[in-house]
Short mmCIF file of all heavy atoms in Angstrom, two decimals:
data_model
loop_
_atom_site.label_atom_id
_atom_site.label_comp_id
_atom_site.label_asym_id
_atom_site.label_seq_id
_atom_site.Cartn_x
_atom_site.Cartn_y
_atom_site.Cartn_z
N MET A 1 150.96 200.22 127.14
CA MET A 1 149.46 200.07 127.16
C MET A 1 148.79 201.45 126.82
O MET A 1 149.00 202.49 127.45
CB MET A 1 149.00 199.58 128.53
CG MET A 1 147.50 199.37 128.62
SD MET A 1 147.20 198.61 130.29
CE MET A 1 145.62 199.46 130.69
N ARG A 2 147.78 201.36 125.92
CA ARG A 2 147.05 202.64 125.67
C ARG A 2 145.90 202.80 126.62
O ARG A 2 145.30 201.85 127.13
CB ARG A 2 146.50 202.37 124.23
CG ARG A 2 147.63 202.49 123.23
CD ARG A 2 147.09 202.33 121.82
NE ARG A 2 145.88 203.22 121.59
CZ ARG A 2 145.26 203.22 120.39
NH1 ARG A 2 145.55 202.51 119.46
NH2 ARG A 2 144.21 203.91 120.24
N ASP A 3 145.57 204.03 126.90
CA ASP A 3 144.40 204.33 127.73
C ASP A 3 143.57 205.21 126.98
O ASP A 3 143.79 205.62 125.75
CB ASP A 3 144.96 205.09 128.98
CG ASP A 3 143.90 205.01 130.11
OD1 ASP A 3 142.80 204.58 129.89
OD2 ASP A 3 144.26 205.52 131.19
N TYR A 4 142.37 205.45 127.45
CA TYR A 4 141.34 206.24 126.86
C TYR A 4 141.73 207.71 126.74
O TYR A 4 142.07 208.30 127.63
CB TYR A 4 140.04 205.99 127.49
CG TYR A 4 139.46 204.57 127.46
CD1 TYR A 4 139.55 203.78 128.58
CD2 TYR A 4 138.90 204.10 126.40
CE1 TYR A 4 139.14 202.48 128.54
CE2 TYR A 4 138.35 202.81 126.39
CZ TYR A 4 138.52 201.96 127.35
OH TYR A 4 138.14 200.65 127.34
N HIS A 5 141.44 208.35 125.56
CA HIS A 5 141.64 209.69 125.44
C HIS A 5 140.57 210.43 126.17
O HIS A 5 139.44 210.13 126.19
CB HIS A 5 141.57 210.11 123.89
CG HIS A 5 141.69 211.52 123.66
ND1 HIS A 5 142.84 212.15 123.62
CD2 HIS A 5 140.84 212.58 123.51
CE1 HIS A 5 142.86 213.40 123.50
NE2 HIS A 5 141.54 213.75 123.41
N ILE A 6 141.00 211.51 126.77
CA ILE A 6 140.12 212.37 127.52
C ILE A 6 140.02 213.78 126.99
O ILE A 6 141.17 214.42 126.92
CB ILE A 6 140.38 212.44 129.08
CG1 ILE A 6 140.34 211.01 129.63
CG2 ILE A 6 139.53 213.39 129.85
CD1 ILE A 6 140.91 210.94 131.11
N ASN A 7 138.91 214.31 126.59
CA ASN A 7 138.75 215.76 126.14
C ASN A 7 138.39 216.59 127.24
O ASN A 7 137.56 216.18 128.10
CB ASN A 7 137.67 215.82 125.14
CG ASN A 7 137.90 215.05 123.79
OD1 ASN A 7 139.04 215.21 123.25
ND2 ASN A 7 136.99 214.32 123.32
N VAL A 8 139.01 217.63 127.45
CA VAL A 8 138.67 218.73 128.41
C VAL A 8 138.45 219.98 127.79
O VAL A 8 139.38 220.44 127.07
CB VAL A 8 139.74 218.80 129.60
CG1 VAL A 8 139.35 219.81 130.59
CG2 VAL A 8 140.03 217.53 130.23
N PHE A 9 137.31 220.59 127.93
CA PHE A 9 136.92 221.83 127.31
C PHE A 9 135.99 222.67 128.10
O PHE A 9 135.29 222.15 128.88
CB PHE A 9 136.37 221.58 125.90
CG PHE A 9 135.19 220.63 125.88
CD1 PHE A 9 133.99 221.26 125.90
CD2 PHE A 9 135.32 219.28 125.85
CE1 PHE A 9 132.86 220.45 125.89
CE2 PHE A 9 134.15 218.40 125.97
CZ PHE A 9 132.92 219.03 125.95
N TRP A 10 135.93 223.93 127.78
CA TRP A 10 134.98 224.81 128.44
C TRP A 10 133.74 224.80 127.62
O TRP A 10 133.64 224.74 126.38
CB TRP A 10 135.49 226.25 128.42
CG TRP A 10 134.40 227.25 128.86
CD1 TRP A 10 133.61 227.96 128.18
CD2 TRP A 10 134.04 227.37 130.22
NE1 TRP A 10 132.84 228.85 128.89
CE2 TRP A 10 133.07 228.48 130.24
CE3 TRP A 10 134.43 226.87 131.52
CZ2 TRP A 10 132.43 228.84 131.44
CZ3 TRP A 10 133.89 227.36 132.63
CH2 TRP A 10 132.80 228.28 132.62
N SER A 11 132.53 224.65 128.31
CA SER A 11 131.26 224.69 127.69
C SER A 11 130.44 225.88 128.10
O SER A 11 130.12 226.04 129.30
CB SER A 11 130.51 223.42 128.15
OG SER A 11 129.12 223.48 127.71
N ASP A 12 130.14 226.78 127.15
CA ASP A 12 129.38 228.01 127.39
C ASP A 12 127.91 227.54 127.88
O ASP A 12 127.37 228.14 128.78
CB ASP A 12 129.33 228.86 126.27
CG ASP A 12 130.56 229.68 126.00
OD1 ASP A 12 131.25 230.05 127.03
OD2 ASP A 12 130.83 230.00 124.84
N ASP A 13 127.39 226.53 127.21
CA ASP A 13 126.06 226.12 127.55
C ASP A 13 125.94 225.62 128.95
O ASP A 13 124.85 225.80 129.63
CB ASP A 13 125.71 224.82 126.68
CG ASP A 13 125.48 225.32 125.20
OD1 ASP A 13 125.25 226.57 125.00
OD2 ASP A 13 125.40 224.41 124.30
N ASP A 14 127.01 224.98 129.58
CA ASP A 14 126.99 224.45 130.87
C ASP A 14 127.65 225.34 131.87
O ASP A 14 127.58 225.11 133.04
CB ASP A 14 127.67 223.06 130.92
CG ASP A 14 126.94 222.04 130.07
OD1 ASP A 14 125.70 221.91 130.19
OD2 ASP A 14 127.54 221.46 129.16
N ALA A 15 128.28 226.34 131.40
CA ALA A 15 129.06 227.35 132.20
C ALA A 15 130.01 226.59 133.18
O ALA A 15 130.20 226.97 134.29
CB ALA A 15 128.09 228.24 133.03
N SER A 16 130.69 225.59 132.56
CA SER A 16 131.69 224.88 133.38
C SER A 16 132.66 224.11 132.38
O SER A 16 132.34 224.11 131.16
CB SER A 16 131.01 223.87 134.28
OG SER A 16 130.30 222.82 133.50
N TYR A 17 133.69 223.57 132.92
CA TYR A 17 134.61 222.70 132.20
C TYR A 17 133.97 221.38 132.07
O TYR A 17 133.26 220.83 133.04
CB TYR A 17 135.89 222.60 132.87
CG TYR A 17 136.66 223.90 132.55
CD1 TYR A 17 136.69 224.97 133.55
CD2 TYR A 17 137.55 224.11 131.43
CE1 TYR A 17 137.40 226.12 133.35
CE2 TYR A 17 138.19 225.21 131.25
CZ TYR A 17 138.19 226.19 132.21
OH TYR A 17 138.76 227.38 131.98
N VAL A 18 134.17 220.72 130.90
CA VAL A 18 133.67 219.38 130.73
C VAL A 18 134.79 218.46 130.38
O VAL A 18 135.62 218.92 129.67
CB VAL A 18 132.55 219.41 129.54
CG1 VAL A 18 132.17 217.96 129.19
CG2 VAL A 18 131.47 220.22 129.80
N ALA A 19 134.81 217.28 130.90
CA ALA A 19 135.75 216.26 130.44
C ALA A 19 134.89 215.09 130.10
O ALA A 19 133.92 214.69 130.69
CB ALA A 19 136.56 215.86 131.72
N ASP A 20 135.28 214.52 128.88
CA ASP A 20 134.54 213.25 128.38
C ASP A 20 135.60 212.34 127.78
O ASP A 20 136.65 212.64 127.46
CB ASP A 20 133.43 213.70 127.36
CG ASP A 20 133.92 214.10 125.96
OD1 ASP A 20 135.21 214.44 125.85
OD2 ASP A 20 133.13 214.18 125.10
N ILE A 21 135.03 211.05 127.77
CA ILE A 21 135.80 210.08 127.15
C ILE A 21 135.05 209.42 126.03
O ILE A 21 134.07 208.65 126.24
CB ILE A 21 136.21 208.97 128.28
CG1 ILE A 21 136.93 209.51 129.39
CG2 ILE A 21 136.95 207.76 127.54
CD1 ILE A 21 137.21 208.64 130.56
N PRO A 22 135.30 209.83 124.73
CA PRO A 22 134.46 209.50 123.65
C PRO A 22 134.36 207.92 123.48
O PRO A 22 133.26 207.49 123.00
CB PRO A 22 135.20 210.10 122.47
CG PRO A 22 135.95 211.20 122.93
CD PRO A 22 136.38 210.74 124.38
N ASP A 23 135.24 207.14 123.74
CA ASP A 23 135.26 205.75 123.59
C ASP A 23 134.28 205.06 124.58
O ASP A 23 133.83 203.94 124.41
CB ASP A 23 136.65 205.09 123.69
CG ASP A 23 137.45 205.22 122.53
OD1 ASP A 23 136.92 205.31 121.44
OD2 ASP A 23 138.70 205.36 122.68
N LEU A 24 133.91 205.77 125.71
CA LEU A 24 133.12 205.21 126.69
C LEU A 24 131.81 206.00 126.80
O LEU A 24 131.46 206.57 127.91
CB LEU A 24 133.81 205.18 128.16
CG LEU A 24 135.14 204.44 128.20
CD1 LEU A 24 135.67 204.53 129.57
CD2 LEU A 24 135.00 202.90 127.76
N PHE A 25 131.00 206.10 125.76
CA PHE A 25 129.82 206.84 125.76
C PHE A 25 128.69 206.32 126.60
O PHE A 25 128.60 205.08 126.54
CB PHE A 25 129.26 207.03 124.35
CG PHE A 25 128.09 207.98 124.23
CD1 PHE A 25 128.25 209.31 124.20
CD2 PHE A 25 126.83 207.42 124.27
CE1 PHE A 25 127.14 210.16 124.21
CE2 PHE A 25 125.71 208.18 124.19
CZ PHE A 25 125.87 209.67 124.12
N PRO A 26 128.00 207.02 127.39
CA PRO A 26 128.27 208.37 127.86
C PRO A 26 129.12 208.46 129.02
O PRO A 26 128.73 207.94 130.12
CB PRO A 26 126.85 208.87 128.07
CG PRO A 26 126.06 207.69 128.59
CD PRO A 26 126.67 206.45 127.98
N CYS A 27 130.24 208.97 128.99
CA CYS A 27 131.21 209.05 130.14
C CYS A 27 131.79 210.44 130.06
O CYS A 27 132.69 210.87 129.36
CB CYS A 27 132.37 208.02 130.01
SG CYS A 27 133.40 207.94 131.38
N ALA A 28 131.11 211.29 130.96
CA ALA A 28 131.55 212.78 131.08
C ALA A 28 131.31 213.31 132.42
O ALA A 28 130.51 212.74 133.14
CB ALA A 28 130.70 213.55 130.02
N ALA A 29 132.01 214.37 132.78
CA ALA A 29 131.81 215.03 134.03
C ALA A 29 132.13 216.54 133.85
O ALA A 29 132.70 216.97 132.88
CB ALA A 29 132.83 214.38 135.01
N PHE A 30 131.71 217.26 134.86
CA PHE A 30 131.82 218.71 134.83
C PHE A 30 132.77 219.24 136.04
O PHE A 30 132.81 218.51 137.11
CB PHE A 30 130.43 219.39 135.04
CG PHE A 30 129.55 218.98 133.91
CD1 PHE A 30 128.66 217.89 134.03
CD2 PHE A 30 129.50 219.70 132.74
CE1 PHE A 30 127.91 217.51 133.03
CE2 PHE A 30 128.67 219.25 131.67
CZ PHE A 30 127.85 218.29 131.84
N GLY A 31 133.30 220.39 135.97
CA GLY A 31 134.10 220.89 137.03
C GLY A 31 134.26 222.43 136.93
O GLY A 31 134.14 222.97 135.76
N ASP A 32 134.64 223.08 138.01
CA ASP A 32 134.84 224.53 137.93
C ASP A 32 136.19 224.77 137.32
O ASP A 32 136.47 226.03 136.92
CB ASP A 32 134.84 225.17 139.43
CG ASP A 32 133.44 225.03 139.88
OD1 ASP A 32 132.42 225.08 139.14
OD2 ASP A 32 133.27 224.93 141.12
N SER A 33 137.07 223.92 137.16
CA SER A 33 138.37 224.05 136.54
C SER A 33 138.74 222.81 135.64
O SER A 33 138.00 221.76 135.80
CB SER A 33 139.39 224.13 137.63
OG SER A 33 139.56 222.95 138.36
N PRO A 34 139.57 222.94 134.68
CA PRO A 34 139.94 221.75 133.96
C PRO A 34 140.42 220.57 134.82
O PRO A 34 140.00 219.41 134.58
CB PRO A 34 141.09 222.22 133.06
CG PRO A 34 140.95 223.68 133.03
CD PRO A 34 140.36 224.14 134.34
N GLU A 35 141.14 220.86 135.93
CA GLU A 35 141.64 219.87 136.81
C GLU A 35 140.46 219.11 137.54
O GLU A 35 140.48 217.92 137.75
CB GLU A 35 142.54 220.51 137.87
CG GLU A 35 143.88 220.94 137.17
CD GLU A 35 143.69 222.29 136.64
OE1 GLU A 35 142.78 222.93 136.88
OE2 GLU A 35 144.67 222.78 136.00
N ALA A 36 139.41 220.02 138.01
CA ALA A 36 138.26 219.44 138.71
C ALA A 36 137.49 218.45 137.75
O ALA A 36 137.05 217.36 138.16
CB ALA A 36 137.44 220.46 139.18
N ALA A 37 137.36 218.95 136.46
CA ALA A 37 136.61 218.16 135.48
C ALA A 37 137.31 216.86 135.29
O ALA A 37 136.69 215.66 135.16
CB ALA A 37 136.41 218.88 134.19
N LEU A 38 138.69 216.85 135.13
CA LEU A 38 139.43 215.63 134.85
C LEU A 38 139.31 214.71 135.98
O LEU A 38 139.16 213.58 135.94
CB LEU A 38 140.88 216.07 134.63
CG LEU A 38 141.90 214.95 134.49
CD1 LEU A 38 141.52 214.03 133.20
CD2 LEU A 38 143.25 215.26 134.25
N ALA A 39 139.45 215.32 137.28
CA ALA A 39 139.33 214.38 138.41
C ALA A 39 138.01 213.70 138.44
O ALA A 39 137.93 212.41 138.73
CB ALA A 39 139.62 215.13 139.67
N GLU A 40 136.98 214.40 138.14
CA GLU A 40 135.59 213.85 138.12
C GLU A 40 135.34 212.73 137.13
O GLU A 40 134.75 211.66 137.38
CB GLU A 40 134.51 214.92 138.06
CG GLU A 40 134.36 215.74 139.38
CD GLU A 40 133.95 215.08 140.51
OE1 GLU A 40 133.01 214.18 140.46
OE2 GLU A 40 134.53 215.27 141.58
N VAL A 41 135.90 213.07 135.98
CA VAL A 41 135.72 212.05 134.89
C VAL A 41 136.46 210.79 135.17
O VAL A 41 136.08 209.70 134.69
CB VAL A 41 136.04 212.59 133.44
CG1 VAL A 41 137.55 212.50 133.18
CG2 VAL A 41 135.11 211.88 132.40
N LEU A 42 137.56 210.91 135.83
CA LEU A 42 138.28 209.56 136.17
C LEU A 42 137.41 208.76 137.15
O LEU A 42 137.47 207.53 137.06
CB LEU A 42 139.63 209.92 136.80
CG LEU A 42 140.66 210.60 135.86
CD1 LEU A 42 141.95 210.96 136.60
CD2 LEU A 42 140.97 209.57 134.62
N VAL A 43 136.71 209.35 138.04
CA VAL A 43 135.81 208.65 138.94
C VAL A 43 134.71 208.00 138.15
O VAL A 43 134.26 206.76 138.34
CB VAL A 43 135.17 209.51 140.03
CG1 VAL A 43 134.07 208.87 140.79
CG2 VAL A 43 136.21 210.06 140.91
N VAL A 44 134.10 208.78 137.23
CA VAL A 44 133.06 208.23 136.28
C VAL A 44 133.55 207.12 135.44
O VAL A 44 132.83 206.19 135.18
CB VAL A 44 132.46 209.37 135.49
CG1 VAL A 44 131.49 208.89 134.36
CG2 VAL A 44 131.89 210.48 136.29
N LYS A 45 134.79 207.30 134.91
CA LYS A 45 135.46 206.20 134.15
C LYS A 45 135.45 204.93 134.90
O LYS A 45 135.05 203.81 134.35
CB LYS A 45 136.75 206.59 133.73
CG LYS A 45 137.52 205.47 132.98
CD LYS A 45 139.05 206.03 132.74
CE LYS A 45 139.95 204.79 132.38
NZ LYS A 45 141.31 205.27 132.39
N ALA A 46 136.06 204.91 136.09
CA ALA A 46 135.96 203.74 136.90
C ALA A 46 134.65 203.07 137.13
O ALA A 46 134.54 201.89 137.07
CB ALA A 46 136.66 204.10 138.34
N ALA A 47 133.61 203.95 137.49
CA ALA A 47 132.36 203.44 137.61
C ALA A 47 131.78 202.84 136.33
O ALA A 47 131.04 201.79 136.35
CB ALA A 47 131.39 204.58 138.17
N TRP A 48 132.05 203.44 135.28
CA TRP A 48 131.58 202.97 133.90
C TRP A 48 132.10 201.57 133.56
O TRP A 48 131.45 200.73 133.26
CB TRP A 48 132.04 203.91 132.81
CG TRP A 48 131.38 203.80 131.42
CD1 TRP A 48 130.40 204.60 130.96
CD2 TRP A 48 131.63 202.85 130.49
NE1 TRP A 48 129.97 204.25 129.67
CE2 TRP A 48 130.73 203.17 129.36
CE3 TRP A 48 132.51 201.78 130.27
CZ2 TRP A 48 130.63 202.25 128.26
CZ3 TRP A 48 132.41 201.01 129.21
CH2 TRP A 48 131.67 201.20 128.09
N LEU A 49 133.42 201.43 133.75
CA LEU A 49 134.11 200.17 133.61
C LEU A 49 133.67 199.15 134.54
O LEU A 49 133.36 197.97 134.05
CB LEU A 49 135.64 200.35 133.59
CG LEU A 49 136.14 201.24 132.50
CD1 LEU A 49 137.70 201.53 132.85
CD2 LEU A 49 136.08 200.52 131.18
N GLU A 50 133.52 199.46 135.77
CA GLU A 50 132.96 198.45 136.76
C GLU A 50 131.59 197.95 136.46
O GLU A 50 131.29 196.83 136.51
CB GLU A 50 133.06 199.14 138.21
CG GLU A 50 132.46 198.17 139.26
CD GLU A 50 132.61 198.83 140.64
OE1 GLU A 50 133.15 199.85 140.78
OE2 GLU A 50 131.89 198.27 141.56
N THR A 51 130.69 199.01 136.09
CA THR A 51 129.29 198.56 135.71
C THR A 51 129.29 197.69 134.48
O THR A 51 128.49 196.70 134.41
CB THR A 51 128.40 199.87 135.47
OG1 THR A 51 128.46 200.62 136.65
CG2 THR A 51 127.05 199.51 134.99
N ALA A 52 130.11 198.03 133.41
CA ALA A 52 130.14 197.19 132.29
C ALA A 52 130.60 195.72 132.62
O ALA A 52 130.04 194.80 132.23
CB ALA A 52 131.06 197.75 131.29
N ARG A 53 131.66 195.67 133.52
CA ARG A 53 132.08 194.28 133.81
C ARG A 53 131.11 193.46 134.68
O ARG A 53 130.89 192.35 134.37
CB ARG A 53 133.35 194.48 134.61
CG ARG A 53 134.63 194.86 133.81
CD ARG A 53 135.90 194.79 134.79
NE ARG A 53 136.96 195.38 134.06
CZ ARG A 53 137.42 196.72 134.34
NH1 ARG A 53 136.82 197.38 135.31
NH2 ARG A 53 138.37 197.20 133.63
N GLU A 54 130.35 194.15 135.51
CA GLU A 54 129.38 193.50 136.41
C GLU A 54 128.25 192.99 135.55
O GLU A 54 127.62 191.99 135.83
CB GLU A 54 128.84 194.47 137.41
CG GLU A 54 129.84 194.78 138.53
CD GLU A 54 129.24 195.85 139.52
OE1 GLU A 54 128.17 196.44 139.19
OE2 GLU A 54 130.03 196.00 140.51
N ARG A 55 127.86 193.74 134.41
CA ARG A 55 126.77 193.40 133.70
C ARG A 55 127.18 192.60 132.46
O ARG A 55 126.36 192.23 131.55
CB ARG A 55 125.96 194.64 133.12
CG ARG A 55 125.43 195.39 134.28
CD ARG A 55 124.70 196.55 133.84
NE ARG A 55 124.09 197.35 134.91
CZ ARG A 55 123.35 198.43 134.81
NH1 ARG A 55 123.07 198.97 133.67
NH2 ARG A 55 122.81 198.95 135.87
N GLY A 56 128.51 192.16 132.29
CA GLY A 56 128.94 191.41 131.26
C GLY A 56 128.87 192.12 129.86
O GLY A 56 128.76 191.47 128.82
N LEU A 57 128.88 193.43 129.87
CA LEU A 57 128.85 194.17 128.60
C LEU A 57 130.26 194.32 128.04
O LEU A 57 131.27 194.41 128.73
CB LEU A 57 128.27 195.68 128.92
CG LEU A 57 126.95 195.61 129.60
CD1 LEU A 57 126.44 197.02 129.97
CD2 LEU A 57 125.94 195.09 128.53
N PRO A 58 130.24 194.61 126.72
CA PRO A 58 131.69 194.69 126.14
C PRO A 58 132.28 195.97 126.46
O PRO A 58 131.66 197.02 126.68
CB PRO A 58 131.31 194.63 124.67
CG PRO A 58 129.92 195.04 124.54
CD PRO A 58 129.27 194.55 125.72
N ILE A 59 133.63 195.98 126.72
CA ILE A 59 134.40 197.14 127.00
C ILE A 59 135.10 197.55 125.80
O ILE A 59 135.98 196.77 125.40
CB ILE A 59 135.20 196.88 128.24
CG1 ILE A 59 134.41 196.63 129.42
CG2 ILE A 59 136.14 198.13 128.44
CD1 ILE A 59 135.09 196.26 130.69
N PRO A 60 134.94 198.67 125.14
CA PRO A 60 135.60 199.02 123.94
C PRO A 60 137.14 199.24 124.20
O PRO A 60 137.54 199.69 125.26
CB PRO A 60 134.79 200.24 123.47
CG PRO A 60 134.26 200.82 124.76
CD PRO A 60 134.03 199.71 125.62
N GLU A 61 137.94 198.90 123.09
CA GLU A 61 139.27 199.28 123.10
C GLU A 61 139.50 200.74 122.92
O GLU A 61 138.60 201.32 122.34
CB GLU A 61 140.04 198.51 122.03
CG GLU A 61 140.01 197.01 122.09
CD GLU A 61 140.97 196.55 123.22
OE1 GLU A 61 142.08 197.24 123.39
OE2 GLU A 61 140.56 195.61 123.93
N PRO A 62 140.49 201.30 123.53
CA PRO A 62 140.73 202.72 123.29
C PRO A 62 141.17 202.99 121.83
O PRO A 62 142.25 202.54 121.43
CB PRO A 62 141.78 203.17 124.26
CG PRO A 62 142.33 201.92 124.89
CD PRO A 62 141.43 200.81 124.40
N THR A 63 140.34 203.68 121.17
CA THR A 63 140.68 203.94 119.72
C THR A 63 140.61 205.42 119.30
O THR A 63 141.20 205.82 118.34
CB THR A 63 139.73 203.20 118.70
OG1 THR A 63 138.36 203.59 119.05
CG2 THR A 63 139.86 201.71 118.93
N TYR A 64 139.83 206.31 119.98
CA TYR A 64 139.60 207.49 119.73
C TYR A 64 140.86 208.35 119.83
O TYR A 64 141.56 208.39 120.80
CB TYR A 64 138.49 208.26 120.62
CG TYR A 64 138.32 209.69 120.35
CD1 TYR A 64 137.43 210.15 119.35
CD2 TYR A 64 138.99 210.66 121.10
CE1 TYR A 64 137.28 211.52 119.06
CE2 TYR A 64 138.83 212.04 120.79
CZ TYR A 64 137.97 212.41 119.77
OH TYR A 64 137.75 213.77 119.63
N ARG A 65 141.17 209.15 118.83
CA ARG A 65 142.25 210.15 118.92
C ARG A 65 141.79 211.38 118.11
O ARG A 65 141.30 211.20 116.94
CB ARG A 65 143.51 209.57 118.21
CG ARG A 65 144.20 208.49 118.96
CD ARG A 65 144.74 208.92 120.27
NE ARG A 65 145.25 207.82 121.09
CZ ARG A 65 144.68 207.30 122.16
NH1 ARG A 65 143.50 207.74 122.45
NH2 ARG A 65 145.21 206.45 122.87
N PRO A 66 141.89 212.61 118.70
CA PRO A 66 141.52 213.74 117.94
C PRO A 66 142.29 214.01 116.75
O PRO A 66 143.51 213.73 116.75
CB PRO A 66 141.64 214.77 119.06
CG PRO A 66 142.73 214.31 119.97
CD PRO A 66 142.56 212.92 119.96
N GLU A 67 141.66 214.72 115.77
CA GLU A 67 142.44 215.12 114.58
C GLU A 67 143.38 216.16 115.06
O GLU A 67 143.24 217.01 115.91
CB GLU A 67 141.55 215.76 113.54
CG GLU A 67 140.67 214.64 112.89
CD GLU A 67 139.84 215.26 111.72
OE1 GLU A 67 140.47 216.20 111.05
OE2 GLU A 67 138.83 214.78 111.54
N SER A 68 144.59 216.11 114.38
CA SER A 68 145.67 217.07 114.68
C SER A 68 145.31 218.44 114.11
O SER A 68 144.80 218.49 113.07
CB SER A 68 146.97 216.63 114.13
OG SER A 68 148.00 217.59 114.23
N THR A 69 145.46 219.42 114.94
CA THR A 69 145.21 220.83 114.47
C THR A 69 146.51 221.59 114.07
O THR A 69 146.46 222.64 113.93
CB THR A 69 144.45 221.63 115.58
OG1 THR A 69 145.13 221.56 116.74
CG2 THR A 69 143.02 220.95 115.77
N ARG A 70 147.55 220.77 114.19
CA ARG A 70 148.94 221.34 113.85
C ARG A 70 149.06 221.83 112.43
O ARG A 70 148.62 221.11 111.49
CB ARG A 70 150.03 220.32 114.11
CG ARG A 70 151.41 220.83 114.03
CD ARG A 70 152.39 219.80 114.29
NE ARG A 70 153.73 220.13 113.75
CZ ARG A 70 154.62 219.38 113.48
NH1 ARG A 70 154.49 218.12 113.74
NH2 ARG A 70 155.79 219.88 113.01
N VAL A 71 149.52 222.95 112.20
CA VAL A 71 149.66 223.57 110.91
C VAL A 71 151.09 223.44 110.51
O VAL A 71 151.98 223.89 111.21
CB VAL A 71 149.16 224.95 110.87
CG1 VAL A 71 149.39 225.52 109.45
CG2 VAL A 71 147.65 225.14 111.23
N ALA A 72 151.35 222.74 109.31
CA ALA A 72 152.72 222.66 108.82
C ALA A 72 153.23 224.02 108.49
O ALA A 72 152.46 224.80 107.95
CB ALA A 72 152.80 221.70 107.55
N GLY A 73 154.56 224.32 108.75
CA GLY A 73 154.91 225.63 108.45
C GLY A 73 156.29 225.70 108.04
O GLY A 73 157.21 225.76 107.82
#
């Protein structure tokens, strides 16, 4: 079973780590560490999905995958 991709990155603008789930816009959270941001976005993800189900809204399939930055060598 595929799950949603989660991006975790440092944001200078927010002076914190950000975790987001592109397939579930807007689904993002902040934290003082990558682990904290990840833990928070998992809570937000559960709330996002629960709210969509309660309101009968479509839940997108997980499709987002970042482009590979691997350099052939």
Side-chain angles (χ1 to χ4, degrees):
M1 180 175 144
R2 291 179 47 183
D3 201 354
Y4 296 101
H5 178 83
I6 300 172
N7 295 311
V8 180
F9 57 93
W10 174 258
S11 169
D12 285 331
D13 291 340
D14 298 305
S16 65
Y17 286 92
V18 178
D20 73 345
I21 303 174
D23 285 326
L24 302 180
F25 183 81
C27 186
F30 302 90
D32 293 332
S33 68
E35 297 82 8
L38 177 60
E40 288 298 318
V41 84
L42 293 175
V43 172
V44 174
K45 173 187 163 188
W48 195 104
L49 293 170
E50 180 180 345
T51 300
R53 285 185 193 103
E54 288 174 354
R55 295 181 180 183
L57 300 173
I59 296 175
E61 291 293 320
T63 59
Y64 176 85
R65 292 293 175 258
E67 287 187 35
S68 176
T69 57
R70 183 175 163 204
V71 177

